[in-house]
mmCIF file of all heavy atoms in Angstrom:
data_model
loop_
_atom_site.group_PDB
_atom_site.id
_atom_site.type_symbol
_atom_site.label_atom_id
_atom_site.label_comp_id
_atom_site.label_asym_id
_atom_site.label_seq_id
_atom_site.Cartn_x
_atom_site.Cartn_y
_atom_site.Cartn_z
ATOM 1 N N THR A 1 143.405 159.872 52.918
ATOM 2 C CA THR A 1 144.820 160.148 52.682
ATOM 3 C C THR A 1 145.447 160.854 53.878
ATOM 4 O O THR A 1 146.618 160.644 54.187
ATOM 5 C CB THR A 1 144.985 161.014 51.422
ATOM 6 O OG1 THR A 1 144.153 162.181 51.538
ATOM 7 C CG2 THR A 1 144.564 160.225 50.187
ATOM 8 N N ALA A 2 144.659 161.697 54.554
ATOM 9 C CA ALA A 2 145.147 162.402 55.746
ATOM 10 C C ALA A 2 144.215 162.079 56.911
ATOM 11 O O ALA A 2 142.993 162.251 56.816
ATOM 12 C CB ALA A 2 145.177 163.912 55.498
ATOM 13 N N LEU A 3 144.791 161.598 58.008
ATOM 14 C CA LEU A 3 143.998 161.202 59.164
ATOM 15 C C LEU A 3 143.660 162.400 60.045
ATOM 16 O O LEU A 3 144.477 163.308 60.238
ATOM 17 C CB LEU A 3 144.750 160.167 59.989
ATOM 18 C CG LEU A 3 144.956 158.793 59.340
ATOM 19 C CD1 LEU A 3 145.845 157.929 60.230
ATOM 20 C CD2 LEU A 3 143.628 158.101 59.092
ATOM 21 N N ALA A 4 142.457 162.384 60.580
ATOM 22 C CA ALA A 4 142.056 163.394 61.559
ATOM 23 C C ALA A 4 142.900 163.236 62.828
ATOM 24 O O ALA A 4 143.407 162.153 63.120
ATOM 25 C CB ALA A 4 140.579 163.241 61.887
ATOM 26 N N PRO A 5 143.039 164.317 63.615
ATOM 27 C CA PRO A 5 143.882 164.253 64.824
ATOM 28 C C PRO A 5 143.179 163.609 66.016
ATOM 29 O O PRO A 5 143.235 164.125 67.142
ATOM 30 C CB PRO A 5 144.198 165.725 65.079
ATOM 31 C CG PRO A 5 142.994 166.461 64.576
ATOM 32 C CD PRO A 5 142.552 165.694 63.356
ATOM 33 N N ALA A 6 142.515 162.478 65.769
ATOM 34 C CA ALA A 6 141.828 161.765 66.852
ATOM 35 C C ALA A 6 142.850 161.079 67.750
ATOM 36 O O ALA A 6 144.004 160.874 67.368
ATOM 37 C CB ALA A 6 140.861 160.744 66.266
ATOM 38 N N ASP A 7 142.420 160.685 68.928
ATOM 39 C CA ASP A 7 143.334 159.975 69.829
ATOM 40 C C ASP A 7 143.718 158.625 69.245
ATOM 41 O O ASP A 7 144.900 158.258 69.249
ATOM 42 C CB ASP A 7 142.659 159.810 71.196
ATOM 43 C CG ASP A 7 142.503 161.137 71.911
ATOM 44 O OD1 ASP A 7 141.495 161.828 71.657
ATOM 45 O OD2 ASP A 7 143.387 161.492 72.699
ATOM 46 N N HIS A 8 142.715 157.889 68.748
ATOM 47 C CA HIS A 8 142.992 156.590 68.148
ATOM 48 C C HIS A 8 141.999 156.351 67.017
ATOM 49 O O HIS A 8 140.795 156.568 67.190
ATOM 50 C CB HIS A 8 142.876 155.467 69.182
ATOM 51 C CG HIS A 8 143.724 155.681 70.401
ATOM 52 N ND1 HIS A 8 145.101 155.693 70.362
ATOM 53 C CD2 HIS A 8 143.380 155.917 71.696
ATOM 54 C CE1 HIS A 8 145.579 155.927 71.577
ATOM 55 N NE2 HIS A 8 144.545 156.065 72.407
ATOM 56 N N ILE A 9 142.488 155.898 65.878
ATOM 57 C CA ILE A 9 141.652 155.619 64.711
ATOM 58 C C ILE A 9 141.878 154.184 64.271
ATOM 59 O O ILE A 9 143.002 153.794 63.938
ATOM 60 C CB ILE A 9 141.965 156.569 63.534
ATOM 61 C CG1 ILE A 9 141.668 158.017 63.915
ATOM 62 C CG2 ILE A 9 141.174 156.169 62.297
ATOM 63 C CD1 ILE A 9 142.029 159.028 62.832
ATOM 64 N N VAL A 10 140.808 153.401 64.291
ATOM 65 C CA VAL A 10 140.859 152.046 63.741
ATOM 66 C C VAL A 10 140.155 152.079 62.389
ATOM 67 O O VAL A 10 138.956 152.369 62.306
ATOM 68 C CB VAL A 10 140.183 151.022 64.675
ATOM 69 C CG1 VAL A 10 140.128 149.647 64.017
ATOM 70 C CG2 VAL A 10 140.930 150.940 66.001
ATOM 71 N N ASN A 11 140.903 151.812 61.355
ATOM 72 C CA ASN A 11 140.379 151.862 59.994
ATOM 73 C C ASN A 11 141.257 150.970 59.123
ATOM 74 O O ASN A 11 142.416 151.306 58.867
ATOM 75 C CB ASN A 11 140.387 153.297 59.469
ATOM 76 C CG ASN A 11 139.798 153.417 58.065
ATOM 77 O OD1 ASN A 11 139.656 152.431 57.349
ATOM 78 N ND2 ASN A 11 139.456 154.630 57.661
ATOM 79 N N PRO A 12 140.736 149.833 58.665
ATOM 80 C CA PRO A 12 141.568 148.943 57.856
ATOM 81 C C PRO A 12 141.991 149.537 56.526
ATOM 82 O O PRO A 12 142.855 148.970 55.843
ATOM 83 C CB PRO A 12 140.664 147.721 57.647
ATOM 84 C CG PRO A 12 139.281 148.230 57.827
ATOM 85 C CD PRO A 12 139.376 149.317 58.855
ATOM 86 N N ASN A 13 141.416 150.699 56.161
ATOM 87 C CA ASN A 13 141.811 151.369 54.922
ATOM 88 C C ASN A 13 142.697 152.591 55.169
ATOM 89 O O ASN A 13 142.941 153.364 54.238
ATOM 90 C CB ASN A 13 140.562 151.775 54.138
ATOM 91 C CG ASN A 13 139.938 150.592 53.414
ATOM 92 O OD1 ASN A 13 140.555 149.989 52.550
ATOM 93 N ND2 ASN A 13 138.718 150.249 53.785
ATOM 94 N N ARG A 14 143.176 152.752 56.397
ATOM 95 C CA ARG A 14 144.152 153.818 56.619
ATOM 96 C C ARG A 14 145.484 153.368 56.007
ATOM 97 O O ARG A 14 145.776 152.156 55.938
ATOM 98 C CB ARG A 14 144.295 154.171 58.094
ATOM 99 C CG ARG A 14 144.697 153.049 59.000
ATOM 100 C CD ARG A 14 144.739 153.463 60.463
ATOM 101 N NE ARG A 14 145.933 154.243 60.786
ATOM 102 C CZ ARG A 14 146.188 154.787 61.973
ATOM 103 N NH1 ARG A 14 145.287 154.653 62.969
ATOM 104 N NH2 ARG A 14 147.288 155.458 62.190
ATOM 105 N N PRO A 15 146.317 154.281 55.560
ATOM 106 C CA PRO A 15 147.511 153.897 54.799
ATOM 107 C C PRO A 15 148.463 152.966 55.534
ATOM 108 O O PRO A 15 149.158 152.167 54.889
ATOM 109 C CB PRO A 15 148.178 155.251 54.502
ATOM 110 C CG PRO A 15 147.063 156.241 54.532
ATOM 111 C CD PRO A 15 146.121 155.754 55.584
ATOM 112 N N ASP A 16 148.524 153.044 56.865
ATOM 113 C CA ASP A 16 149.507 152.242 57.597
ATOM 114 C C ASP A 16 148.914 150.979 58.211
ATOM 115 O O ASP A 16 149.542 150.337 59.057
ATOM 116 C CB ASP A 16 150.150 153.087 58.707
ATOM 117 C CG ASP A 16 149.134 153.629 59.700
ATOM 118 O OD1 ASP A 16 147.930 153.602 59.388
ATOM 119 O OD2 ASP A 16 149.549 154.089 60.773
ATOM 120 N N ASP A 17 147.725 150.586 57.792
ATOM 121 C CA ASP A 17 147.108 149.369 58.339
ATOM 122 C C ASP A 17 147.463 148.181 57.453
ATOM 123 O O ASP A 17 147.308 148.221 56.231
ATOM 124 C CB ASP A 17 145.587 149.512 58.410
ATOM 125 C CG ASP A 17 144.934 148.329 59.111
ATOM 126 O OD1 ASP A 17 144.698 147.300 58.438
ATOM 127 O OD2 ASP A 17 144.681 148.429 60.323
ATOM 128 N N LEU A 18 147.929 147.105 58.074
ATOM 129 C CA LEU A 18 148.336 145.905 57.350
ATOM 130 C C LEU A 18 147.492 144.697 57.728
ATOM 131 O O LEU A 18 147.910 143.549 57.531
ATOM 132 C CB LEU A 18 149.818 145.611 57.638
ATOM 133 C CG LEU A 18 150.806 146.733 57.304
ATOM 134 C CD1 LEU A 18 152.216 146.334 57.727
ATOM 135 C CD2 LEU A 18 150.760 147.066 55.812
ATOM 136 N N SER A 19 146.290 144.933 58.248
ATOM 137 C CA SER A 19 145.459 143.838 58.738
ATOM 138 C C SER A 19 144.881 142.967 57.623
ATOM 139 O O SER A 19 144.488 141.825 57.865
ATOM 140 C CB SER A 19 144.307 144.391 59.583
ATOM 141 O OG SER A 19 143.417 145.158 58.775
ATOM 142 N N GLY A 20 144.776 143.518 56.428
ATOM 143 C CA GLY A 20 144.143 142.786 55.342
ATOM 144 C C GLY A 20 142.631 142.752 55.440
ATOM 145 O O GLY A 20 141.978 141.940 54.779
ATOM 146 N N LEU A 21 142.032 143.643 56.240
ATOM 147 C CA LEU A 21 140.584 143.650 56.460
ATOM 148 C C LEU A 21 139.903 144.809 55.728
ATOM 149 O O LEU A 21 138.833 145.262 56.122
ATOM 150 C CB LEU A 21 140.290 143.737 57.958
ATOM 151 C CG LEU A 21 140.818 142.567 58.789
ATOM 152 C CD1 LEU A 21 140.653 142.848 60.282
ATOM 153 C CD2 LEU A 21 140.111 141.273 58.407
ATOM 154 N N SER A 22 140.511 145.265 54.643
ATOM 155 C CA SER A 22 139.998 146.451 53.955
ATOM 156 C C SER A 22 138.622 146.244 53.344
ATOM 157 O O SER A 22 137.933 147.215 53.022
ATOM 158 C CB SER A 22 140.976 146.883 52.859
ATOM 159 O OG SER A 22 141.179 145.827 51.922
ATOM 160 N N ASP A 23 138.183 145.001 53.164
ATOM 161 C CA ASP A 23 136.869 144.746 52.587
ATOM 162 C C ASP A 23 135.733 144.853 53.605
ATOM 163 O O ASP A 23 134.560 144.819 53.222
ATOM 164 C CB ASP A 23 136.826 143.346 51.965
ATOM 165 C CG ASP A 23 137.613 143.264 50.660
ATOM 166 O OD1 ASP A 23 137.865 144.318 50.057
ATOM 167 O OD2 ASP A 23 137.970 142.142 50.253
ATOM 168 N N CYS A 24 136.042 144.964 54.865
ATOM 169 C CA CYS A 24 134.990 144.998 55.887
ATOM 170 C C CYS A 24 134.219 146.315 55.851
ATOM 171 O O CYS A 24 134.798 147.392 55.636
ATOM 172 C CB CYS A 24 135.587 144.822 57.284
ATOM 173 S SG CYS A 24 136.099 143.130 57.670
ATOM 174 N N ALA A 25 132.922 146.230 56.080
ATOM 175 C CA ALA A 25 132.134 147.429 56.340
ATOM 176 C C ALA A 25 132.491 147.944 57.728
ATOM 177 O O ALA A 25 133.143 147.259 58.518
ATOM 178 C CB ALA A 25 130.645 147.103 56.258
ATOM 179 N N ALA A 26 132.044 149.146 58.034
ATOM 180 C CA ALA A 26 132.336 149.699 59.361
ATOM 181 C C ALA A 26 131.776 148.805 60.455
ATOM 182 O O ALA A 26 132.395 148.627 61.510
ATOM 183 C CB ALA A 26 131.764 151.113 59.476
ATOM 184 N N VAL A 27 130.602 148.207 60.207
ATOM 185 C CA VAL A 27 130.003 147.357 61.238
ATOM 186 C C VAL A 27 130.837 146.107 61.462
ATOM 187 O O VAL A 27 130.929 145.605 62.595
ATOM 188 C CB VAL A 27 128.547 147.000 60.873
ATOM 189 C CG1 VAL A 27 128.480 146.082 59.655
ATOM 190 C CG2 VAL A 27 127.839 146.373 62.057
ATOM 191 N N GLY A 28 131.474 145.594 60.422
ATOM 192 C CA GLY A 28 132.367 144.456 60.597
ATOM 193 C C GLY A 28 133.585 144.829 61.415
ATOM 194 O O GLY A 28 134.016 144.075 62.295
ATOM 195 N N VAL A 29 134.143 146.005 61.127
ATOM 196 C CA VAL A 29 135.281 146.492 61.909
ATOM 197 C C VAL A 29 134.860 146.712 63.358
ATOM 198 O O VAL A 29 135.579 146.340 64.295
ATOM 199 C CB VAL A 29 135.835 147.798 61.297
ATOM 200 C CG1 VAL A 29 137.042 148.291 62.097
ATOM 201 C CG2 VAL A 29 136.229 147.586 59.840
ATOM 202 N N ALA A 30 133.683 147.296 63.548
ATOM 203 C CA ALA A 30 133.197 147.554 64.911
ATOM 204 C C ALA A 30 133.041 146.251 65.683
ATOM 205 O O ALA A 30 133.381 146.173 66.876
ATOM 206 C CB ALA A 30 131.866 148.302 64.860
ATOM 207 N N PHE A 31 132.533 145.221 65.030
ATOM 208 C CA PHE A 31 132.365 143.935 65.708
ATOM 209 C C PHE A 31 133.717 143.375 66.136
ATOM 210 O O PHE A 31 133.869 142.889 67.270
ATOM 211 C CB PHE A 31 131.650 142.950 64.776
ATOM 212 C CG PHE A 31 131.448 141.589 65.381
ATOM 213 C CD1 PHE A 31 130.412 141.359 66.275
ATOM 214 C CD2 PHE A 31 132.299 140.540 65.071
ATOM 215 C CE1 PHE A 31 130.220 140.105 66.841
ATOM 216 C CE2 PHE A 31 132.118 139.281 65.623
ATOM 217 C CZ PHE A 31 131.078 139.062 66.518
ATOM 218 N N ILE A 32 134.700 143.449 65.257
ATOM 219 C CA ILE A 32 136.036 142.944 65.592
ATOM 220 C C ILE A 32 136.620 143.729 66.767
ATOM 221 O O ILE A 32 137.209 143.153 67.691
ATOM 222 C CB ILE A 32 136.956 143.033 64.357
ATOM 223 C CG1 ILE A 32 136.440 142.097 63.246
ATOM 224 C CG2 ILE A 32 138.401 142.669 64.716
ATOM 225 C CD1 ILE A 32 137.101 142.314 61.909
ATOM 226 N N VAL A 33 136.442 145.051 66.751
ATOM 227 C CA VAL A 33 136.949 145.877 67.855
ATOM 228 C C VAL A 33 136.231 145.524 69.155
ATOM 229 O O VAL A 33 136.852 145.461 70.229
ATOM 230 C CB VAL A 33 136.792 147.373 67.522
ATOM 231 C CG1 VAL A 33 137.184 148.236 68.728
ATOM 232 C CG2 VAL A 33 137.658 147.750 66.319
ATOM 233 N N MET A 34 134.929 145.273 69.088
ATOM 234 C CA MET A 34 134.190 144.914 70.302
ATOM 235 C C MET A 34 134.640 143.561 70.854
ATOM 236 O O MET A 34 134.652 143.351 72.074
ATOM 237 C CB MET A 34 132.691 144.902 70.028
ATOM 238 C CG MET A 34 132.084 146.284 69.771
ATOM 239 S SD MET A 34 132.328 147.468 71.139
ATOM 240 C CE MET A 34 133.751 148.406 70.535
ATOM 241 N N VAL A 35 135.023 142.647 69.973
ATOM 242 C CA VAL A 35 135.621 141.388 70.441
ATOM 243 C C VAL A 35 136.898 141.696 71.213
ATOM 244 O O VAL A 35 137.168 141.117 72.274
ATOM 245 C CB VAL A 35 135.899 140.447 69.255
ATOM 246 C CG1 VAL A 35 136.744 139.244 69.691
ATOM 247 C CG2 VAL A 35 134.587 139.960 68.639
ATOM 248 N N GLY A 36 137.672 142.644 70.698
ATOM 249 C CA GLY A 36 138.880 143.063 71.407
ATOM 250 C C GLY A 36 138.570 143.723 72.737
ATOM 251 O O GLY A 36 139.287 143.528 73.727
ATOM 252 N N LEU A 37 137.476 144.502 72.780
ATOM 253 C CA LEU A 37 137.088 145.149 74.040
ATOM 254 C C LEU A 37 136.709 144.105 75.083
ATOM 255 O O LEU A 37 137.114 144.213 76.259
ATOM 256 C CB LEU A 37 135.928 146.107 73.795
ATOM 257 C CG LEU A 37 135.349 146.773 75.050
ATOM 258 C CD1 LEU A 37 136.381 147.674 75.724
ATOM 259 C CD2 LEU A 37 134.083 147.575 74.699
ATOM 260 N N MET A 38 135.932 143.119 74.690
ATOM 261 C CA MET A 38 135.539 142.085 75.647
ATOM 262 C C MET A 38 136.758 141.312 76.144
ATOM 263 O O MET A 38 136.844 140.941 77.326
ATOM 264 C CB MET A 38 134.525 141.134 74.994
ATOM 265 C CG MET A 38 133.219 141.812 74.611
ATOM 266 S SD MET A 38 132.310 142.495 76.030
ATOM 267 C CE MET A 38 131.393 141.042 76.552
#
């Protein structure tokens, strides 16, 4: 409900995320982010 004061937080279950990826485990989210990094 309240986000930590990190520089950047990727979390499909944060209140303002509209990605529709809320069912992903953290490892699924991490994989998607790593695709973005590459």
Side-chain angles (χ1 to χ4, degrees):
T1 53
L3 292 174
D7 291 86
H8 306 295
I9 298 177
V10 174
N11 182 343
N13 282 298
R14 58 183 283 176
D16 59 345
D17 186 276
L18 303 176
S19 66
L21 298 172
S22 58
D23 287 340
C24 285
V27 68
V29 181
F31 179 80
I32 295 168
V33 174
M34 291 302 99
V35 170
L37 175 64
M38 296 298 274

